Amino acid sequence: MSGQVAESATLTKKDFVSDQEVRWCPGCGDYSILSQIQKVLPELGVPKERYAFVSGIGCSSRFPYYMNTYGFHTIHGRAAAVATGLKTARPDLSVWVITGDGDGLSIGGNHLIHAIRRNIDLKIVLFNNRIYGLTKGQFSPTSEVGKITKSTPYGSIEEPFNPVFLALACNATFVARTIDREPKHMQQVLRRAAEHKGVAFVEVLQNCSVFNDGAFENITDKKVKKEQQLLLEHGRPMRFGPGGEKGIRMRDLTPEVVTLGEGGIAEDDLLVHDEAAPEPTLALLLARLGFPVYPTPIGVLRAVDSMPYDRAVHEKIAEIQKSAGPVGDAAMQELLSGRATWDVE
Amino acid sequence: MSGQVAESATLTKKDFVSDQEVRWCPGCGDYSILSQIQKVLPELGVPKERYAFVSGIGCSSRFPYYMNTYGFHTIHGRAAAVATGLKTARPDLSVWVITGDGDGLSIGGNHLIHAIRRNIDLKIVLFNNRIYGLTKGQFSPTSEVGKITKSTPYGSIEEPFNPVFLALACNATFVARTIDREPKHMQQVLRRAAEHKGVAFVEVLQNCSVFNDGAFENITDKKVKKEQQLLLEHGRPMRFGPGGEKGIRMRDLTPEVVTLGEGGIAEDDLLVHDEAAPEPTLALLLARLGFPVYPTPIGVLRAVDSMPYDRAVHEKIAEIQKSAGPVGDAAMQELLSGRATWDVE
Amino acid sequence: MTQTVQPLESVTIRFAGDSGDGMQLTGTQFTNASAIAGNDVATFPDYPAEIRAPAGTLAGVSGFQVNFGSVDIHTPGDELDALVAMNPAGLKANLDILKPNGVIVLNTAAFKAANVAKAGYTEDPRGDGSLDAFQVVEVDMNKLAAAAVSDMGLNSSVVGRTKNMLALGLMCWLYERPLEPTIDWITRKFASKGELAEANIRVLKAGHSYGETAEIFHSRFRVEPAKLSTGTYRSITGNQAVALGAVAASARSGRPLFLGSYPITPASDILHELAAHKRFGVVTFQAEDEIAGVCSSIGAAYGGSLAITTTSGPGMALKSEALGLAVKAELPLVIVNVQRGGPSTGLPTKTEQSDLFQAVLGRNGDTPIPVIAARSPSDCFDAMYEACGIALEYMMPVILLTDGYLANGAEPWLIPNFGELPQLATHVWKDADTFHQCKRDADTLARPWGLPGTPGMEHRIGGLETDIETGNVAYGGPNHQEMTDLRHERVARIARSYAPTEIDGPGRGGLLIVSWGSTYGSVRAAIESSRGDGIDVGHVHLRHLSPLPRDLGEILSGFDTVLVPEMNMGQLAFLLQATYPVRVKRLNRVEGRPFKRSEILAAIREHSGEER
Amino acid sequence: MTQTVQPLESVTIRFAGDSGDGMQLTGTQFTNASAIAGNDVATFPDYPAEIRAPAGTLAGVSGFQVNFGSVDIHTPGDELDALVAMNPAGLKANLDILKPNGVIVLNTAAFKAANVAKAGYTEDPRGDGSLDAFQVVEVDMNKLAAAAVSDMGLNSSVVGRTKNMLALGLMCWLYERPLEPTIDWITRKFASKGELAEANIRVLKAGHSYGETAEIFHSRFRVEPAKLSTGTYRSITGNQAVALGAVAASARSGRPLFLGSYPITPASDILHELAAHKRFGVVTFQAEDEIAGVCSSIGAAYGGSLAITTTSGPGMALKSEALGLAVKAELPLVIVNVQRGGPSTGLPTKTEQSDLFQAVLGRNGDTPIPVIAARSPSDCFDAMYEACGIALEYMMPVILLTDGYLANGAEPWLIPNFGELPQLATHVWKDADTFHQCKRDADTLARPWGLPGTPGMEHRIGGLETDIETGNVAYGGPNHQEMTDLRHERVARIARSYAPTEIDGPGRGGLLIVSWGSTYGSVRAAIESSRGDGIDVGHVHLRHLSPLPRDLGEILSGFDTVLVPEMNMGQLAFLLQATYPVRVKRLNRVEGRPFKRSEILAAIREHSGEER
Ligand SMILES: Cc1ncc(C[n+]2csc(CCOP(=O)(O)OP(=O)(O)O)c2C)c(N)n1
Ligand SMILES: Cc1ncc(C[n+]2csc(CCOP(=O)(O)OP(=O)(O)O)c2C)c(N)n1
Ligand code: SF4
Ligand code: SF4
Ligand SMILES: [Mg+2]
Ligand SMILES: [Mg+2]
């Protein structure tokens, strides 16, 4: 987000809670995401009125109604496109896109990849529950092969998208992943996303308690999470496991799970996370790790600097305006007249 | 392409030339692509009537009219979606998608990435001229930053897509790149694409002589091509340069241009191409190489086996039909009746 | 003990509770039991757009209304004879449509102070006199359910979820419905979870026994079987009927069925239903969006499938560009639009008829497409079958309009004999020697369907204008005029094949009602009532919205007043006025529900005095 | 030598050649020279959909027709006084509209046997008698051009590309047009390529001198300046005028201009034009598709911009879903549809008026949107300015229809005084204390425009139905009815502000012609002719297609016959009949070009005998 920092020191979570009853199912992971965003926003030093939440259609996309900020619940799949216009017209706002795996990756896939490619300074939070919730349980572009749903009674045969992987292929300047059940981690990631200048793409693994309950259990469950989550920290070697006894090492171009101490493996042998690497090679490698062979990377995969689109647009305009001189009635008249005129008397 | 091989031994290029006058500009790279495809098809052992060419809208998309095969010139951006339906309904056909950088990556981006993700057995040939030709010269999603076009009189500020990189992020099972000016190479690549079972994505660097002349000069020009093109060959070390004296070596995760012999570097030190690697790591790395730091990889970046979507669909149907018994009037009557009926007398 | 049994002609009841209370399922089972008992039925499922809006609130109320009778039933009923309220919100949301002295069965377990407040009551309605005009029956459904399964050792949340079966059992007792269909269904549904099956069945029976033993009702009610035509029936919803119509048309035309679709309420169930019919060679493709849905179908049609695509209003809007391609390329295709409340996302779970303009006129260019509409849930089968037939016979896209009410509503369906369904001819061309893409059928002007894969018939089609003789791309003006005229003529000719328009009632005279789509039932019901009152009016119900029937103009001119009731702002009325020299009266209601009989009746009374 | 000079009232000439021959540019320069010479002008650029169709073929012919005169010029002319044929195909493609005894100037260098054959001639037309009825002037343009620059050492392909300047110079001589405007333009265009500038200027002058010195014409022609209103003029195309209208409306409303658009013929030039106006704070966003084009504009409108989106038919179809959102969310937005031939991709470079249905009725739900249309290239400025004004005043999307003919056609424009353009008011709300999103303006019923970034006015909007009082999501039936009624009333009220409808000619009587959009010119021309013949008919030209003017019904009822000429199959005719108790006569022509005066004249003659 851009915009000056105003006197917003006194904002609290409460300021971001709207008067609308929250209408998600009991146990839905969306509640946690709402709560974390409401907690993080007051800390960012942005005046409340500068926030605008734009969403598409889906359970997740009801989000803006619950935020006491400016909000626009648009149409299915188009949040990124609407937000692109809003942010390009109004770079002073902090514009957040709330979308689902269906909204953002199925019908809205094109707008998403183009918004990321352009590096529009949007904070895109994709609630990935690997299902269409609002339409009552069809498979989505992130559903796993073999998934039985209302529209795939014999099991899905489609290879799913990996959202962070796809975002990286669009040259995303900020890519992260977090989990509905990990409030602290989510807050950290959201804060980082908010502070990034340029597009920030955040995938949140979100449980749909009604149509896809337990979809992420194998990595989020308390009992396995230490084994199954690889917490990324910039500049730190990649360790995981209950006591941090495991790690990731590279063998040529293939990452490998190793146990520290075994076969003489020391921390120095491990891959070190570098979210700021100019090339996305490491981030791409990380994006592909996951259950069952690897732990699933959680945290910021990539964060690099690049001029946001919306700022570039307005800098160019300002530059031209500066050199062309003030725009007044005379300039307008000149514009209307064009180059070649003649008089009739 | 699938389908049995019929007696098509006698087919020649001429059989694939339609009676329509070709209406591209003089010097357009599209002519070469047309010619190479017309040369390759007769060699594939597929009966002529099994070929169907589906395109969107653009100069490139006029392609089907010039092929004496079945052809469908659809609407802007939707070729991949139309072809998906055709191939899924008719796996016996060899279905080719002809698209442009605007048609396939701008308006049609979503259908393209989903077709690739699903591994539908389509042969997708993307004519990348980094411009909108048919609408007379606006920038496209592959145009470079700074490009001055009709719609960007002050230069484009958008980071372009890298088509092969994007395709790889959709888990493409076959990805290749070739050049309008390199007929032999293009033929090889097209043949490989045709023989691949599953989606084959081929980017052709194509010169638009009217609106973007010379866009690829810096890698395709005779004078520089040996320096600037990295010809990929499966299982072979990556060498390039007029006498093959240069090569690509990995330094941790970063590829590096080296000169053989210098500093004791031998062929063994070079990266060896492996198009069949189960993980796309190498292909992703290659996809990102290019002017001015690296030579541009040309050839097959990735080719791995995976069940095509259309085949999976029909195998499932066949399996169910086998176990459920023949479908006749009785089965239809059962279907209409459903589970619970009652009689009124 | 013995209770009296009171005979009734028809009854309307509604189950209402939280979105999580299983009301849709309960209502469906009660409907099936009623149908199997031989009644005619009509249903109205009515649920919120959220999956589970906050428990206990008005926003979260899910309702299922069913009207069943020994007479012809045309609508789900204007007013309720009985309301089953699983919680205070379910009561509050529906009290205004309960008849005076109607029955309220309420679950006392849900009338805790907190629930009462959540429903927006300041006081418990059971104590504030607001229910005095009704017969209130208080039942602690949770307790009775728990008792019925007390020895099974189930956890309490599982037990809680069976309470809808208690309500169902009780209502089945009250209206003498058989339990067997529900028991069968439970057994099938929980086949792999024997414990759940047993629990549900026990609670169902407990509800029934409770009616029998506890002296809570003064009498039971009997609704004799309706005098339906003889034959074998099933209960069917509009969405199911559309799906079956497509499979049947595929079988009868010999063209494999392909559905390219993107889920959207209230159309998704067609996709779900067809996805299960792989045995019949059905290919379903869940596309990435509606555009890919229709485009994949266009591709499949090009390849020789009977191709269809299903959607609702907003999705239909997205398909409009591609429909132009189907028109230009002359490919057979059926587009089903299950209409819902608009504009924009609007009221996604509520019914409306406001996409008629879009269907008939909503495309760029001069791009006519035939439009037909279904009138009842079971009629969706016939309408779909006919739509497929027109598409194949005329080689063009056809739009079928249904709506949310038809899609989810159920009624008894006299199962057709598959073998007697008319064969559907196609224009698949086999002979390469005589093939030319512009050689048209003299009657329908359809072009031949030259399928890829056929040796010697290679040709190209596309969205650019083409020469009328050669099929090659052609930009000439006179040719474009001829092609445009041809496209109009091709559609216009369809009307030649319509049966003469049926007029219910007098063929000329004072008032004529013209209706289309799902208003059929309400209009029929109102006209029957008005005839009872001695007011006879004519009624034409249109299946074909475009092209309109050739004899319609003359029919309209035979009446002094034409009244068009629609669940929109007057779209058919507009089309009629544009087409015929007639001015029509409009009755428009967009309240997300079918017309009430009484609303139409009032309009009949008003306008039948208008003879000049 | 001296030639005679023959005075003429108006002249129509056409430049025709290969797509690569620069005919559009040549025609444009001739037009500008004519305008600067004080004539009224109308132009008709007519080019193929391919960038460079095969050289020498009929498919590759690009034409530019211009009609200029000392009298009011309304159309580009039915028939040609002179045809400049740069090659045999250019000759063949246009001979049928050349007047008997008309002038043909042809480039002999292009009449090689191969070219003659490519054009589809079996014999050189110069020898087969087919040109006998015309005055043929043969000029070896290539040779003359080469001679003019022989000492410059240019390569021959560069020289070849100057031959259009030879033709231009020659025609300027023949019609006494000044060369200066063209010389100025060449100088600017090739500012950085001095050699090219010089070559082009030399060849242009060589053409002029050739006319002067070679005895090829019997006389020159003089067309005196037209009696236009006094003031300063420029030549302007419809696309330019739309762009300027938008910038002016932005300046006069104080809202920054945002254009989200995707290129499409014939609308792309509006994007090109606006992309150049960053100085005026204009933000142009070339979106990934038309949906993103309109959605980004919706986002910008939400953020407080004067947002517009520009497209043509197929792109318009793609935008229809999002337009529903703009209606529901009540955001100001102007959608410009530069119509072209349909259906589907159709005739991308040809004009048509067949998107009227789509504009007025082509959306899901009951979703009214005001629609206005421009009638001439320069009128696009006023129409766009008005569209922006309505959008801002009523807080709703507005559709502006132009077409391919208006978009590319040029005419003299009396440049308005910027300071005198009406100020455009907006509903931007500043005061948080009094803000409520549902508090409507009593007159327009517009909601306040509460811009993000304003402290204390945080609120949510969206595409679901909302409560009329609170603005919260609401699924209730009666509320939906009220909101639907409100949306209709909001649009209906716009008609209150229209000036009384102007009737050209008698206010009642026999025949009334009702036209809209670009047919204006042809109808005016025909009516002027018919008046000359003593047949006086009334003429109403509609700027507002929806809502229609309140006084239109009465006007229509005052005539015996209403004739509606349209470049479509009768779309306005249909809307009029639907709205008023009137039956209209249709004159429909879809040939990818404007009506000829003669076509309308014939219809006037036919129908003016129809008084009853
Ligand atoms: C144009 C259009 N197509 C389809 C729909 C129906 N629809 C609403 S939400 C949705 C998918 C929701 O999935 P997701 O984005 O994953 O959100 P979730 O409900 O899972 O949070 C669909 C298909 C719609 N509202 N509009
Ligand atoms: C729906 C729609 N939008 C826009 C267009 C206009 N259009 C036609 S081709 C094209 C882009 C062509 O670019 P590309 O795909 O790169 O093809 P090329 O001409 O360069 O081969 C556009 C924008 C259209 N025909 N239809
Ligand atoms: S359906 Fe799933 S995603 Fe939607 S609100 Fe319920 S639990 Fe959450
Ligand atoms: S405009 Fe460019 S891409 Fe199109 S035909 Fe001409 S040279 Fe080829
Ligand atoms: Mg989801
Ligand atoms: Mg291109």
Side-chain angles (χ1 to χ4, degrees), chain A residues 62 76 106-107 138-139 151, chain C residues 50 52 54 262 272 286 288:
Chain A
R62 294 293 177 93
H76 194 36
S106 195
I107 188 168
Q138 298 83 13
F139 77 110
S151 55
Chain C
E50 291 82 14
R52 301 273 150 88
Y262 186 70
H272 305 159
Q286 181 179 312
E288 56 272 22

Side-chain angles (χ1 to χ4, degrees), chain D residues 11-202:
Chain D
V11 171
T12 298
I13 74 174
R14 181 183 268 244
F15 294 91
D18 256 342
S19 303
D21 282 346
M23 294 295 92
Q24 300 306 313
L25 192 152
T26 310
T28 304
Q29 288 312 313
F30 188 90
T31 305
N32 287 346
S34 300
I36 289 176
N39 296 135
D40 197 2
V41 299
T43 70
F44 176 36
D46 186 22
Y47 50 89
E50 291 80 13
I51 300 305
R52 301 273 152 87
T57 65
L58 285 172
V61 173
S62 173
F64 191 104
Q65 184 169 323
V66 46
N67 184 2
F68 53 102
S70 62
V71 292
D72 267 15
I73 295 294
H74 302 298
T75 79
D78 289 11
E79 294 182 308
L80 306 178
D81 295 291
L83 169 65
V84 178
M86 303 300 284
N87 65 3
L91 177 69
K92 186 163 192 212
N94 294 294
L95 206 57
D96 62 330
I97 54 167
L98 185 60
K99 285 183 188 163
N101 205 32
V103 172
I104 298 172
V105 177
L106 53 78
N107 179 13
T108 54
F111 277 69
K112 308 249 160 67
N115 288 323
V116 168
K118 266 194 209 152
Y121 280 117
T122 45
E123 227 181 292
D124 191 324
R126 294 174 301 172
D128 69 359
S130 64
L131 308 183
D132 289 356
F134 309 104
Q135 308 174 44
V136 180
V137 176
E138 303 195 24
V139 183
D140 187 334
M141 299 189 189
N142 293 48
K143 202 169 122 195
L144 290 174
V149 298
S150 61
D151 57 338
M152 288 181 69
L154 297 173
N155 87 34
S156 69
S157 88
V158 171
V159 176
R161 265 183 269 127
T162 64
K163 66 176 179 292
N164 59 331
M165 287 297 129
L166 198 111
L168 179 58
L170 185 57
M171 298 312 280
C172 284
W173 174 83
L174 185 61
Y175 293 103
E176 300 195 312
R177 320 276 84 180
L179 295 186
E180 289 66 34
T182 305
I183 292 171
D184 286 356
W185 175 84
I186 293 173
T187 311
R188 266 202 318 276
K189 166 151 176 163
F190 296 112
S192 59
K193 294 174 189 151
E195 213 171 39
L196 283 183
E198 186 182 337
N200 276 287
I201 292 171
R202 280 206 207 176

Side-chain angles (χ1 to χ4, degrees), chain C residues 224 374 474 560 580:
Chain C
E224 295 293 342
D560 299 325
Y580 306 106

Side-chain angles (χ1 to χ4, degrees), chain A residues 241-298:
Chain A
E245 65 284 356
K246 292 195 175 169
I248 303 284
R249 174 175 81 164
M250 288 302 291
R251 266 261 192 242
D252 295 329
L253 289 175
T254 308
E256 187 179 54
V257 171
V258 294
T259 305
L260 275 98
E262 269 180 23
I265 291 174
E267 204 178 71
D268 277 0
D269 299 321
L270 300 184
L271 202 51
V272 172
H273 186 40
D274 179 7
E275 60 184 38
E279 274 296 294
T281 315
L282 176 61
L284 287 161
L285 262 178
L286 290 171
R288 294 192 55 84
L289 303 187
F291 192 82
V293 178
Y294 300 101
T296 300
I298 301 296

Side-chain angles (χ1 to χ4, degrees), chain C residues 379-506:
Chain C
D379 181 53
C380 288
F381 179 89
D382 295 335
M384 184 64 182
Y385 198 84
E386 182 178 351
C388 293
I390 296 175
L392 293 169
E393 186 177 353
Y394 290 86
M395 287 291 285
M396 60 175 62
V398 175
I399 293 171
L400 170 63
L401 295 176
T402 75
D403 63 30
Y405 165 60
L406 297 180
N408 294 320
E411 68 176 357
W413 180 42
L414 178 58
I415 302 163
N417 189 329
F418 173 72
E420 288 166 11
L421 291 173
Q423 204 74 37
L424 301 178
T426 73
H427 293 280
V428 172
W429 201 271
K430 298 266 159 87
D431 178 22
D433 292 338
T434 59
F435 177 81
H436 189 286
Q437 60 164 310
C438 296
K439 189 148 124 192
R440 298 183 176 279
D441 182 277
D443 183 37
T444 59
L445 302 179
R447 71 173 181 90
W449 203 2
L451 304 188
T454 320
M457 293 188 351
E458 291 85 353
H459 66 286
R460 275 66 55 193
I461 62 173
L464 284 168
E465 186 60 286
T466 43
D467 188 86
I468 198 163
E469 301 285 340
T470 65
N472 295 330
V473 169
Y475 305 124
N479 176 70
H480 180 52
Q481 179 80 58
E482 275 189 85
M483 286 297 288
T484 302
D485 291 340
L486 174 67
R487 284 184 283 267
H488 280 74
E489 173 63 14
R490 272 164 42 64
V491 172
R493 287 199 180 186
I494 297 170
R496 300 181 318 176
S497 66
Y498 301 165
T501 300
E502 276 176 43
I503 312 176
D504 176 39

